[in-house]
Amino acid sequence: MTDTPRLILGSGSPRRRDLLAQLGVVASDIRPPDINEDPQKGELPRPYCVRLAREKALAIPASDDEIVLSADTTVALGRRILGKPQDEKEAAKFLTLLSGRRHRVITAVAVRKGDKIWERDVVTQVKMKMLSNEELNAYLNSGDWRGKAGGYGIQGPAGALIPWISGSFTSVVGLPLAETANLLIAAGYPLYKEPQA
């Protein structure tokens, strides 16, 4: 019988599940939170992202011995927050804004156990190449932009549009693994220990 605490993933993102699997972690349960993700008036990208990760962690019902992991990824162009596009037209607008420019991808992670919360946020600089109409339309037609902050996912076809990043690749995908591992260990999750027989 193992006494490994149950890990609850507060995200419906298949990318976050895949990233956790790289750490050898499979969530006991997946409970996507239902919160309002609209930015507050004048809210800047980094505080917005940190607030959402924390609100998600707090919104998920969990018992005191369960560990809740939630995260939020935000694409920031200057002070602008580029969230998940509502439709293809908005995705095209975001990608046109990002074309040929550097931007920041912020991922905030919150881990909660009982009433304690551990948090980290990671900012990665990303450059998107100048997109030709052909490249833009091909990417929009792929549908890969759906449900992705800023209208692209670096781990899919859009990887060909990103010649340079400075920072954490896994953070741009949606979960910075080094920082997430440290938070899980801080919360008492036995990440690198053999389970007790």
Side-chain angles (χ1 to χ4, degrees):
M1 187 62 200
T2 63
D3 56 357
T4 302
R6 284 168 54 82
L7 179 70
I8 309 305
L9 178 58
S11 169
S13 161
R15 292 170 296 284
R16 293 201 175 111
R17 280 202 299 275
D18 292 346
L19 287 165
L20 273 179
Q22 288 184 30
L23 292 175
V25 174
V26 177
S28 302
D29 197 9
I30 293 170
R31 300 177 194 162
D34 183 19
I35 65 163
N36 177 356
E37 297 194 18
D38 294 339
Q40 293 169 354
K41 195 168 164 48
E43 194 169 28
L44 292 172
R46 194 168 177 179
Y48 161 78
C49 191
V50 169
R51 176 177 67 81
L52 277 196
R54 182 186 305 126
E55 284 185 6
K56 287 176 183 179
L58 293 170
I60 293 158
S63 64
D64 282 351
D65 58 348
E66 290 178 323
I67 296 173
V68 173
L69 168 68
S70 59
D72 186 74
T73 301
T74 297
V75 171
L77 187 61
R79 298 165 65 92
R80 283 185 69 169
I81 294 168
L82 303 184
K84 294 172 185 163
Q86 298 298 314
D87 51 33
E88 190 172 311
K89 192 175 167 201
E90 191 170 40
K93 184 179 140 189
F94 287 176
L95 292 165
T96 303
L97 283 170
L98 295 171
S99 175
R101 298 173 73 177
R102 284 190 187 184
H103 57 279
R104 288 170 301 140
V105 177
I106 305 149
T107 295
V109 183
V111 170
R112 176 172 71 89
K113 187 176 183 189
D115 55 5
K116 278 199 74 172
I117 197 157
W118 295 265
E119 299 172 276
R120 276 296 305 272
D121 62 288
V122 177
V123 181
T124 303
Q125 304 288 334
V126 181
K127 185 176 196 306
M128 186 172 282
K129 65 182 283 195
M130 281 298 291
L131 301 179
S132 66
N133 281 339
E134 219 172 26
E135 286 166 327
L136 177 62
N137 290 327
Y139 185 66
L140 290 171
N141 289 337
S142 78
D144 188 63
W145 54 269
R146 286 189 179 83
K148 299 194 172 78
Y152 75 92
I154 195 169
Q155 71 284 1
L161 311 177
I162 309 292
W164 177 91
I165 81 163
S166 175
S168 167
F169 176 81
T170 54
S171 180
V172 178
V173 178
L175 198 66
L177 286 188
E179 292 76 11
T180 300
N182 288 341
L183 293 176
L184 288 172
I185 291 164
Y189 191 83
L191 198 56
Y192 302 117
K193 295 184 176 71
E194 286 295 314
Q196 301 299 307

